[in-house]
Amino acid sequence: MASASSSKVPAASPNTPPDSCDVLVYGTGLVESIVAAALAWQGTNVLHLDPNPFYGGLWASLNLEELKAWTDKINSPATNDTPFSNAYLYISRNLDPRKYAIDISPHVLFTRADLLNLLIQSRVSRYLEFKPLGSFHTFEQDSFEKVPGTKEDIFTSQNLTLLTKRSLMRFMKFVVIWDETPDVWLEYKGKPISLFLKEKFNLDEPQIVELVHSIALLSSPSSPTELALDRIKRYLSSMQVYGNFPAMYSMYGSGGEIAQGFCRSAAVAGAVYRLGTKLSSFDDESGVAVLDNGEKIKVTEKLITSYGLLPSSREITRMVAVVEKDCKEWFAEGESAAIVVFPPETLDGNKYAVQALVLGSGSGQVPLGQAVWYLSTQESGEQGRKDLFLALEKMEESILRESTEDFEFDVSEEDIAYLPNGMPVVSSVRLGESLRNFTPKESLKYLLKLTYTQKVTVPPPQPGSKTIYVPAPSIDIVYDGVVTRAQAIYEGVTGTTEDFFEVDFEDEDDDATATGNPPDTSIGDVADIDDEELGDHPDFDEEVAGEMTI
Amino acid sequence: MHSVKRVRTSAEAQAAKKRKEAGKIVEYKALVDKVFTGRDAGDLSLNALHLTTTLLKQNPEYYTVWNYRREILVSLFKSLSTEEIISTIESELEFLFSRLREFPKCYWIWNHRKWCLTTSPKPNYKYELKLVTLMLERDARNFHGWQYRRAVVASIEKMMKHPGALDKSEFAYTTAKINNNFSNFSAWHNRTKLIPRMLIDDPDLDGRELLKKEIHLITQAIYTDPDDQSVWLYHRWLVTSNDIVKLSTDERVELLHQEIKSIDELLVVEPDSKWCLHSLAFYKNFLATITNSPVDPSVLEYLDRLAEIDPMRRKRYQDWKAQITNTAD
């Protein structure tokens, strides 16, 4: 468990575990923890173990001490039950290990995701804190372009032609109802999305790249049309649900934190927890589980495990870098996160897109003045590492240029647009041009660098077996599929998904959830304005007060 | 607020609600009776003021009660010192802010607020500008807010004895609101009020240049969302009015040709756009009027097409067409 975490987790039970249980869940990753909570609330007698001393399993957020131990472990030839391997870790001296929470499988959440609905329905969301993520950038022609993901972005964009603006808007209006209008796309089913966008909507290469890689977060331009449309809709329909951003992330760590929330919920419903406890063996016939201290537990129904050697189809490559820069240049106003995508063929012939999630200190994962960059690619081996290092280099160049203060550039009045609060912003095209010709003198300090590979595992079908395997987190930076997987496992145990989290939470005020809609935070916030906030309003104080003497 | 769906309640829930409300209605009616008995008796006491507070909290639309409230305040002010009047108005403004948060589109609250400011011996318009900025942040399309904002800005400039002092920042503010969501009749309308004033306040401002920039801006909006009526309305103001620059007939004709060409290009990719067709018909008709020449026959085709795609207004297009053919005869 990450020490930076603020959430309270049930203390692992010091008591001896019961000598029998209905379901033994082994591993406290996100999927298993959702299943454990769902089963516990349904009335199943759940024992939940994890061999690690922290929660989160393959989804954990680790402090630096835990991270060192974790890399040693996955590198050890004796370890054969984890999909991770091949870790190279550098940590700068004199860092306070407890001030960091490094995700080993970082994820973000679109506001229309099924996981968010489940978090609200199960009330686990109250154990967590979420922050907005509105900045999506695409690496194009050696600079980072902000993705035009809304009507307002398209309207104010200074690098789109009038006809492109029209085509993009037509596409965006279509894509939110794409599943109801098959006549438009059916002939492109299974064909590359890039072909569809070009032929049906007259979109040009740069817009296709942004839609496919940054908005849909797909790795390859030849992804099937129907998948890409679904992904693009996911982004667009997630805008304006809670505010001017499509995605969010949980503070102090991603999947591991959410998993802890579900564990806490499961414990409230009566599940028993024990961390740092290894399962030595499990007899599928008799259902007898033996723990590393020799204790024997009779499992009457199922063993659900995320550990063990699963068959794997391929490998993906991941990288983590902590830098001594706040990286606020990449974040939207008031935010502390951004996604940067390097499309294929932008990094010396990379075949797959490289995705980078950037989190600032507002995420609670790194101290003030620092940021953590999570990079990943579907490419494996040396090529995968090469792609990631090239992307890292580009990010380094970009942040040094953008954060330099003694940099002057020429802009005329037409290059300046205004934000809603009246703050002027400079057109990114013009800025990009000026920036490309600029060489910063400063260099970037890396406080931590970590690369590792991860196997994409496929659980084998186990007809008639007591054991259910949980696959490792996917390469996807988004939690999609997690709830579906948890439901499938739940069904494997109970035979139905009908009562999945069908919980009548007693002595709770129903008002907030009665309508099924999450409370509208943006309206609520404004409704709470008081005189003090009035006094702080920048629109007035900066622009008017100076000129006025009343 | 715009585009918020009304939630329909079931008959059963409605019945339960009605029973619950029955008691409240009796109380409310008694309160109304009490307030009006006081008014008929000429009661202008502090107690009468408190009664109107209670009533207006429940029903801010009752404008007669707001009128009565002002009668009471005017009468009370006679016996108060200037300091006391200021502080009474301050608490009045506080009360109004809480009402506005709940009922941001009630005419009478905004109206009463304006009265307070003009009545106060020491109005704080600076604060009012911040308040209306916040109200427009909550709902950028609240025309009450925009109207109030113009009044506040005018008062500030008057007090500063500097007409146009806020022109630039108000222009930037309107631009920012439009950039945030250009489907906003009120923000575009504010621009039509602001721009002519800016040209008067600053003789160095080049109207032609400004018109060019505004046409560039609105064209971006038209191409982004041709289904939005507010952008076409602003476009029409730019193209047909003399408020920005007084154009000669030749210049006007040139501008119309230029804009007709631009909309024609949009029509190629959006052949079914109602507002494209509508604007083309309007501008070509307008062109014929100012040049004293016959209407271009394509207008009749546009109107036929409009009658097809917008059947609810079919007769209107037919009537328009008849007018053109009659004039031609």
Side-chain angles (χ1 to χ4, degrees):
Chain A
M1 170 186 155
S3 56
S5 161
S6 72
S7 69
K8 290 158 203 78
V9 177
S13 164
N15 313 325
T16 5
D19 45 17
S20 84
C21 64
D22 296 337
V23 173
L24 175 63
V25 183
Y26 190 48
T28 51
L30 184 54
V31 176
E32 313 91 270
S33 300
I34 295 174
V35 175
L39 287 172
W41 281 106
Q42 181 258 3
T44 303
N45 179 358
V46 175
L47 173 62
H48 202 165
L49 308 176
D50 198 300
N52 293 313
F54 47 79
Y55 282 89
L58 308 176
W59 300 74
S61 315
L62 305 176
N63 71 35
L64 300 186
E65 294 298 341
E66 290 164 339
L67 191 67
K68 276 185 212 161
W70 177 81
T71 43
D72 287 346
K73 192 176 155 197
I74 64 168
N75 282 341
S76 152
T79 309
N80 62 357
D81 62 350
T82 169
F84 299 108
S85 62
N86 223 5
Y88 296 87
L89 174 67
Y90 158 79
I91 298 183
S92 163
R93 261 178 289 179
N94 302 326
L95 298 183
D96 181 347
R98 306 180 68 80
K99 291 215 164 112
Y100 295 82
I102 305 298
D103 267 324
I104 55 179
S105 308
H107 282 79
V108 300
L109 189 70
F110 277 100
T111 59
R112 284 265 185 243
D114 52 359
L115 179 60
L116 187 60
N117 291 336
L118 182 63
L119 282 163
I120 292 166
Q121 187 197 341
S122 64
R123 312 216 164 183
V124 169
S125 58
R126 60 177 63 181
Y127 303 144
L128 300 159
E129 200 176 323
F130 285 90
K131 289 217 164 170
L133 166 53
S135 257
F136 285 66
H137 304 271
T138 313
F139 181 74
E140 283 165 278
Q141 285 149 31
D142 231 20
S143 75
F144 292 168
E145 299 297 341
K146 180 158 184 346
V147 173
T150 64
K151 184 173 124 184
E152 286 63 46
D153 291 342
I154 293 170
F155 167 56
T156 53
S157 165
Q158 294 175 52
N159 33 353
L160 300 175
T161 66
L162 284 173
L163 282 174
T164 306
K165 287 188 179 194
R166 186 79 290 270
S167 306
L168 254 184
M169 275 304 296
R170 265 183 60 222
F171 172 70
M172 288 193 170
K173 282 197 173 170
F174 149 75
V175 79
V176 291
I177 51 160
W178 77 275
D179 32 5
E180 298 154 37
T181 46
D183 47 309
V184 182
W185 58 272
L186 206 58
E187 53 179 312
Y188 290 88
K189 193 172 178 204
K191 292 184 185 164
I193 179 67
S194 48
L195 197 68
F196 171 76
L197 293 173
K198 197 182 210 155
E199 291 180 359
K200 274 289 194 183
F201 285 90
N202 268 324
L203 288 170
D204 299 328
E205 196 55 27
Q207 284 73 52
I208 294 176
V209 164
E210 282 169 358
L211 285 169
V212 174
H213 301 295
S214 303
I215 288 186
L217 293 172
L218 287 165
S219 217
S220 152
S222 54
S223 303
T225 296
E226 63 277 17
L227 170 69
L229 292 178
D230 192 48
R231 296 284 203 96
I232 296 168
K233 179 182 175 174
R234 172 181 76 183
Y235 179 105
L236 295 178
S237 62
S238 291
M239 285 299 297
Q240 303 300 344
V241 174
Y242 289 97
N244 199 22
F245 51 86
M248 303 192 291
Y249 59 94
S250 51
M251 281 193 73
Y252 312 111
S254 57
E257 280 295 298
I258 299 179
Q260 282 179 46
F262 278 102
C263 290
R264 185 172 166 188
S265 171
V268 171
V272 176
Y273 275 82
R274 229 169 95 161
L275 296 183
T277 301
K278 265 207 186 77
L279 182 65
S280 299
S281 69
F282 179 71
D283 186 289
D284 207 82
E285 284 286 304
S286 65
V288 172
V290 182
L291 306 187
D292 52 356
N293 60 1
E295 288 170 46
K296 281 192 179 129
I297 292 155
K298 170 96 174 101
V299 180
T300 55
E301 297 285 337
K302 295 278 182 191
L303 166 71
I304 298 167
T305 176
S306 62
Y307 293 96
L309 203 57
L310 293 184
S312 114
S313 50
R314 59 199 169 85
E315 274 183 357
I316 58 178
T317 316
R318 291 186 185 274
M319 176 189 273
V320 185
V322 174
V323 296
E324 204 170 42
K325 270 265 177 250
D326 56 21
C327 297
K328 62 177 190 315
E329 290 77 11
W330 290 337
F331 306 152
E333 208 195 336
E335 294 185 7
S336 194
I339 283 182
V340 180
V341 175
F342 299 83
E345 304 297 335
T346 55
L347 299 165
D348 194 20
N350 57 316
K351 208 164 123 207
Y352 300 101
V354 171
Q355 296 174 347
L357 169 66
V358 177
L359 295 176
S361 62
S363 68
Q365 294 199 7
V366 288
L368 214 63
Q370 301 179 13
V372 55
W373 300 352
Y374 295 106
L375 291 83
S376 58
T377 173
Q378 294 202 12
E379 190 64 73
S380 59
E382 265 319 297
Q383 186 62 41
R385 287 164 50 84
K386 191 188 136 210
D387 288 353
L388 293 188
F389 272 106
L390 267 174
L392 187 77
E393 211 173 276
K394 296 293 179 193
M395 289 175 73
E396 175 179 338
E397 281 169 20
S398 169
I399 197 64
L400 286 176
R401 282 190 308 224
E402 291 186 39
S403 62
T404 297
E405 278 163 16
D406 58 359
F407 173 58
E408 282 174 22
F409 48 88
D410 275 342
V411 277
S412 63
E413 218 177 301
E414 286 97 86
D415 299 321
I416 298 178
Y418 290 89
L419 293 175
N421 61 6
M423 286 283 287
V425 287
V426 180
S427 148
S428 64
V429 186
R430 292 277 304 141
L431 200 58
E433 256 170 45
S434 311
L435 286 171
R436 271 195 288 284
N437 305 322
F438 173 77
T439 329
K441 294 170 197 78
E442 213 189 336
S443 65
L444 184 66
K445 188 168 182 203
Y446 288 97
L447 301 173
L448 178 151
K449 255 189 213 176
L450 166 68
T451 58
Y452 53 105
T453 54
Q454 183 196 324
K455 286 191 178 76
V456 178
T457 55
V458 188
Q462 304 264 317
S465 165
K466 271 200 161 68
T467 309
I468 300 175
Y469 287 101
V470 183
S474 75
I475 177 86
D476 258 328
I477 204 162
V478 177
Y479 292 105
D480 285 25
V482 164
V483 175
T484 320
R485 216 165 295 142
Q487 279 173 331
I489 295 170
Y490 181 88
E491 192 176 13
V493 178
T494 66
T496 173
T497 55
E498 265 172 33
D499 54 353
F500 185 76
F501 272 108
E502 274 278 307
V503 184
D504 183 19
F505 292 96
E506 294 159 33
D507 63 64
E508 303 275 11
D509 183 6
D510 281 330
D511 283 355
T513 49
T515 55
N517 293 324
D520 188 339
T521 47
S522 60
I523 296 299
D525 289 347
V526 186
D528 289 334
I529 39 174
D530 55 26
D531 293 356
E532 206 177 304
E533 282 174 55
L534 278 170
D536 286 334
H537 207 270
D539 178 58
F540 185 81
D541 289 333
E542 284 170 18
E543 301 216 329
V544 186
E547 316 174 31
M548 206 163 35
T549 39
I550 299 178
Chain B
M1 299 287 285
H2 292 263
S3 52
V4 173
K5 264 194 188 153
R6 183 189 291 272
V7 181
R8 293 195 186 280
T9 39
S10 70
E12 200 181 317
Q14 266 175 347
K17 207 178 161 198
K18 258 194 175 153
R19 277 195 301 279
K20 222 175 165 183
E21 279 174 351
K24 279 190 188 164
I25 291 171
V26 173
E27 274 174 47
Y28 172 78
K29 280 190 171 156
L31 182 62
V32 170
D33 280 346
K34 216 167 165 185
V35 168
F36 278 89
T37 312
R39 192 190 189 205
D40 291 344
D43 183 355
L44 300 174
S45 66
L46 207 58
N47 186 40
L49 185 77
H50 293 329
L51 280 177
T52 64
T53 309
T54 317
L55 180 51
L56 289 168
K57 267 187 186 166
Q58 292 178 32
N59 181 6
E61 294 287 353
Y62 216 147
Y63 56 85
T64 316
V65 180
W66 285 108
N67 291 342
Y68 177 34
R69 188 175 178 88
R70 280 190 290 276
E71 287 164 18
I72 300 170
L73 285 168
V74 167
S75 156
L76 287 172
F77 287 167
K78 283 181 198 151
S79 56
L80 295 180
S81 71
T82 309
E83 292 309 308
E84 285 168 329
I85 292 175
I86 292 172
S87 91
T88 308
I89 287 182
E90 251 166 41
S91 52
E92 195 69 7
L93 290 172
E94 221 167 275
F95 166 62
L96 287 171
F97 184 38
S98 70
R99 297 299 79 213
L100 277 181
R101 280 158 69 160
E102 207 172 328
F103 304 99
K105 289 194 175 169
C106 175
Y107 283 87
W108 318 113
I109 307 176
W110 289 101
N111 178 55
H112 192 73
R113 196 164 184 99
K114 263 187 207 158
W115 177 82
C116 287
L117 270 291
T118 46
T119 308
S120 170
K122 203 183 152 197
N124 185 353
Y125 284 110
K126 212 175 124 176
Y127 179 87
E128 293 308 297
L129 191 59
K130 290 184 217 164
L131 171 123
V132 77
T133 300
L134 269 172
M135 290 302 289
L136 289 175
E137 212 158 281
R138 250 182 108 165
D139 180 5
R141 303 199 277 193
N142 185 347
F143 70 88
H144 300 269
W146 284 97
Q147 204 171 14
Y148 189 71
R149 187 176 184 95
R150 281 192 293 276
V152 168
V153 167
S155 301
I156 290 176
E157 291 182 341
K158 206 171 151 196
M159 288 182 89
M160 291 169 77
K161 296 194 177 61
H162 182 184
L166 303 189
D167 279 353
K168 272 195 178 158
S169 58
E170 282 304 290
F171 189 73
Y173 178 79
T174 308
T175 308
K177 283 291 174 208
I178 284 167
N179 283 349
N180 208 20
N181 180 7
F182 64 73
S183 179
N184 188 335
F185 285 92
S186 305
W188 292 117
H189 178 67
N190 200 49
R191 245 170 144 79
T192 68
K193 293 277 176 198
L194 190 61
I195 289 176
R197 257 199 15 235
M198 285 167 66
L199 289 160
I200 296 167
D201 295 337
D202 181 2
D204 293 339
L205 203 56
D206 183 349
R208 267 163 228 281
E209 197 50 41
L210 191 58
L211 179 62
K212 222 173 108 187
K213 281 189 183 169
E214 288 303 288
I215 285 182
H216 176 80
L217 177 75
I218 201 65
T219 309
Q220 308 302 309
I222 285 174
Y223 269 77
T224 305
D225 192 0
D227 295 339
D228 189 312
Q229 195 186 351
S230 73
V231 298
W232 291 102
L233 215 59
Y234 188 66
H235 185 258
R236 186 179 291 188
W237 178 73
L238 291 174
V239 174
T240 62
S241 93
N242 277 319
D243 293 351
I244 298 186
V245 200
K246 182 135 182 36
L247 294 179
S248 69
T249 306
D250 283 352
E251 287 174 313
R252 179 74 61 199
V253 168
E254 199 195 322
L255 175 62
L256 279 161
H257 278 303
Q258 171 200 313
E259 289 310 294
I260 287 169
K261 185 170 170 273
S262 162
I263 303 168
D264 256 333
E265 283 166 11
L266 179 56
L267 191 69
V268 173
V269 286
E270 294 296 328
D272 289 337
S273 163
K274 173 185 162 178
W275 292 111
C276 261
L277 291 162
H278 198 281
S279 301
L280 282 172
F282 179 84
Y283 290 135
K284 286 193 176 179
N285 203 35
F286 186 75
L287 193 61
T289 313
I290 61 167
T291 55
N292 262 323
S293 44
V295 175
D296 192 281
S298 60
V299 171
L300 303 178
E301 288 166 37
Y302 297 146
L303 292 172
D304 284 341
R305 186 85 194 96
L306 277 165
E308 242 174 80
I309 61 171
D310 186 19
M312 297 286 278
R313 288 164 201 82
R314 198 184 58 220
K315 290 282 182 194
R316 184 167 171 250
Y317 301 123
Q318 285 171 355
D319 183 55
W320 190 351
K321 202 175 152 186
Q323 279 178 34
I324 294 170
T325 7
N326 288 344
T327 326
D329 287 342

